[in-house]
């Protein structure tokens, strides 16, 4: 049944996302959906995978959700079937706009939008470091064909213009955001399951090994590009200097066995804890001393924003939007990627060189 809209009724906009798992992109979409002016817009949500924890959140927001499941590669005949299904759904809902949020969504959303005459917004949230050359060409085509491209960092705008060939006037910079009120309320709660971290002395006290300061990394383990191995090498360097830190790794993915192997090889099993994927990151960050993101490539990382929202000093690598978030020496340190000695030095300066009070002041 087609929805006919008059000029005063809310216009239907389809938000298309790859998955319903609360990764960075999906969480940014949820924040946008919570804030859309429902007097002007009637949001509808579509995903390319049918299941995931965000389904319940969508139901709580009274947002209809439709799935258009893809097979493993875009060349599969099923892709055209899902494009046709999506186009039919968009037309039956009277959608005037398709806002795609991720690589596969950009491709499928553009094709469906062109079939229905709806305008299309494509999203760019990283430097396409994980895409094969053929997928990068696909991305370039999609972004040049979209009505508008939204990028989440200056570095991503530059990449979209210079590498993908999109005219600058069609690219809009909208940095990621964070709901501080919800974040602060969440920080005050107990982690579930609990962390059981040893209590640590204030300035001046001697730290036992298990009372060592705590460094957190919040990053998926899908690809090596998050730089977990570099941080572990840095922690091993610190240990050689008699500096012990505890490391909490929040996240999961295909790289995890390799990271676990590195922990064993470096003799760090007593210092590194794998917390898997967690939904209570603000509660964890309320109990650590430093957030580190040792990536080789990034967009505008939510993890760094969350570390800053938790008033933590941060150590990041000079990739993507990280230098746009962190002013070196003011609210944290920016070091070159793939350089464990530089990482070790920055962590040592904050946790052992400046004293707990100065480190807290840097975090604030």
């Amino acid at each position: 049944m087609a929805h006919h809209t008059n000029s005063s009724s809310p216009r239907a906009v389809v938000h298309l996302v790859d998955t319903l798992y609360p990764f960075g992109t999906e969480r940014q979409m949820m924040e946008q959906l919570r804030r859309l002016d429902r007097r002007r817009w009637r949001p509808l949500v579509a995903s390319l995978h049918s299941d995931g924890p965000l389904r319940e959140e969508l139901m709580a927001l009274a947002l209809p959700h439709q799935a258009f499941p893809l097979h493993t590669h875009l060349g599969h005949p099923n892709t055209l079937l899902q494009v046709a299904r999506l186009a039919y759904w968009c037309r039956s809902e009277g959608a005037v706009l398709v806002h795609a949020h991720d690589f596969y969504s950009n491709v499928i959303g553009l094709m469906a939008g062109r079939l229905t005459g709806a305008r299309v917004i494509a999203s760019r949230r990283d430097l396409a470091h994980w895409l094969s050359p053929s997928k990068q060409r696909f991305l370039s085509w999609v972004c040049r064909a979209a009505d508008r491209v939204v990028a989440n960092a200056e570095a991503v705008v530059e990449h979209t213009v210079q590498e993908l060939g999109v005219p600058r006037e069609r690219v809009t910079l909208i940095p990621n955001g964070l709901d501080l009120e919800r974040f602060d309320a969440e920080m005050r709660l107990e982690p579930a399951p609990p962390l059981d971290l040893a209590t640590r002395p204030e300035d001046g006290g001697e730290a036992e090994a298990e009372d060592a300061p705590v460094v957190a990394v919040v990053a998926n383990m899908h690809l090596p590009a998050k730089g977990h191995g570099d941080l572990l090498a840095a922690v091993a360097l610190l240990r050689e200097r008699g500096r012990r830190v505890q490391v909490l790794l929040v996240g999961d993915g295909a790289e995890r066995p390799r990271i676990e192997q590195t922990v064993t090889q470096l003799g760090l099993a007593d210092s590194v804890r794998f917390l898997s994927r967690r939904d209570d990151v603000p509660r964890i960050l309320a109990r650590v001393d430093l957030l580190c993101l040792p990536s080789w490539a990034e967009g505008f990382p939510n993890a760094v924003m969350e570390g800053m929202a938790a008033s933590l000093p941060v150590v990041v690598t000079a990739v993507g939007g990280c230098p746009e978030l962190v002013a070196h020496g003011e609210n944290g340190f920016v070091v070159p990627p793939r350089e464990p000695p530089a990482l070790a030095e920055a962590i040592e300066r904050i946790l052992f060189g400046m004293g707990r009070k100065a480190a807290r002041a840097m975090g604030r």
Side-chain angles (χ1 to χ4, degrees), residues 205-323:
E206 278 300 307
E208 292 296 325
E210 66 272 16
D211 300 338
V214 184
V215 177
V217 178
V218 182
N220 70 60
M221 297 177 181
H222 302 317
L223 298 162
K226 288 296 181 183
H228 289 90
D230 293 343
L231 175 70
L232 297 173
V235 171
L237 285 172
L238 288 173
R239 181 173 282 201
E240 285 170 20
R241 297 177 207 163
R243 306 291 203 187
R244 293 180 75 94
V245 297
Q246 296 180 78
V247 180
L248 302 181
L249 300 181
V250 183
D252 222 331
E255 284 292 306
R256 178 164 169 173
R258 196 182 310 194
I259 298 166
E260 289 173 341
Q261 197 179 349
T262 305
V263 168
T264 307
Q265 284 167 349
L266 293 172
L268 297 175
D270 59 341
S271 300
V272 179
R273 288 175 59 190
F274 289 81
L275 300 187
S276 296
R277 206 182 65 73
R278 297 278 294 235
D279 296 321
D280 58 348
V281 170
R283 308 181 194 188
I284 294 169
L285 295 181
R287 287 155 179 82
V288 308
D289 300 295
L290 171 75
L291 178 100
C292 182
L293 193 68
S295 303
W296 306 344
E298 273 300 338
F300 197 81
N302 292 324
V304 177
M305 285 197 306
E306 292 179 340
M308 292 165 72
S311 295
L312 293 174
V314 294
V315 174
V316 300
T317 43
V319 295
C322 291

Side-chain angles (χ1 to χ4, degrees), residues 22-344:
F23 303 129
T25 294
E26 292 78 1
R27 281 160 51 208
Q28 288 300 314
M29 179 189 75
M30 293 304 297
E31 293 296 355
Q32 197 176 339
L33 289 169
R34 284 191 187 95
R35 286 163 179 73
L36 267 186
D37 183 349
R38 298 285 186 103
R39 292 165 304 184
R40 294 181 60 202
W41 303 104
R42 184 167 63 85
L44 304 153
V45 181
S47 68
L48 304 180
H49 289 85
S50 53
D51 229 7
L54 292 179
R55 272 187 77 125
E56 286 175 26
E57 278 190 51
L58 290 170
M59 284 163 68
L61 291 170
L63 287 171
H65 165 256
Q66 201 76 14
F68 301 90
L70 289 185
H71 281 283
T72 45
H73 63 98
L74 286 170
H76 196 283
N78 169 65
T79 300
L80 292 177
L81 171 67
Q82 299 308 331
V83 168
R85 283 187 63 227
L86 177 61
Y88 179 81
W89 184 63
C90 288
R91 185 170 279 149
S92 67
E93 291 289 350
V96 296
L97 182 66
V98 175
H99 187 160
H101 289 271
D102 226 326
F103 171 72
Y104 292 99
S105 315
N106 284 339
V107 175
I108 304 302
L110 179 82
M111 294 197 281
R114 289 293 171 263
L115 284 173
T116 63
R119 291 198 170 188
V120 177
I121 296 174
S123 296
R124 294 288 303 107
R125 298 189 172 276
D126 54 37
L127 300 179
H129 54 280
W130 56 281
L131 296 177
S132 65
S134 61
K135 282 181 177 164
Q136 295 203 23
R137 287 193 292 276
F138 229 145
L139 181 66
S140 174
W141 167 73
V142 166
C143 288
R144 282 182 284 133
D147 295 283
R148 176 69 58 171
V149 179
V150 170
N152 64 353
E154 288 285 1
V156 179
V157 171
E158 283 306 309
H159 181 270
T160 306
V161 173
Q162 304 297 337
E163 304 295 322
L164 304 183
V166 181
R168 193 174 290 271
E169 62 273 12
R170 289 228 311 277
V171 185
T172 302
L173 171 66
I174 305 178
N176 290 358
L178 197 58
D179 183 338
L180 290 176
E181 212 171 299
R182 287 180 63 192
F183 189 91
D184 290 347
E186 185 75 13
M187 270 182 76
R188 289 190 282 270
L189 303 173
E190 285 296 316
L195 291 183
D196 302 323
L197 289 173
T199 53
R200 296 183 306 281
E202 290 303 311
D203 279 308
E206 278 300 307
E208 292 296 325
E210 66 272 16
D211 300 338
V214 184
V215 177
V217 178
V218 182
N220 70 60
M221 297 177 181
H222 302 317
L223 298 162
K226 288 296 181 183
H228 289 90
D230 293 343
L231 175 70
L232 297 173
V235 171
L237 285 172
L238 288 173
R239 181 173 282 201
E240 285 170 20
R241 297 177 207 163
R243 306 291 203 187
R244 293 180 75 94
V245 297
Q246 296 180 78
V247 180
L248 302 181
L249 300 181
V250 183
D252 222 331
E255 284 292 306
R256 178 164 169 173
R258 196 182 310 194
I259 298 166
E260 289 173 341
Q261 197 179 349
T262 305
V263 168
T264 307
Q265 284 167 349
L266 293 172
L268 297 175
D270 59 341
S271 300
V272 179
R273 288 175 59 190
F274 289 81
L275 300 187
S276 296
R277 206 182 65 73
R278 297 278 294 235
D279 296 321
D280 58 348
V281 170
R283 308 181 194 188
I284 294 169
L285 295 181
R287 287 155 179 82
V288 308
D289 300 295
L290 171 75
L291 178 100
C292 182
L293 193 68
S295 303
W296 306 344
E298 273 300 338
F300 197 81
N302 292 324
V304 177
M305 285 197 306
E306 292 179 340
M308 292 165 72
S311 295
L312 293 174
V314 294
V315 174
V316 300
T317 43
V319 295
C322 291
E324 296 166 43
L325 276 164
V326 183
H328 183 72
E330 286 179 36
N331 54 355
F333 289 123
V334 183
V335 301
R338 302 179 188 245
E339 286 193 21
L343 212 50

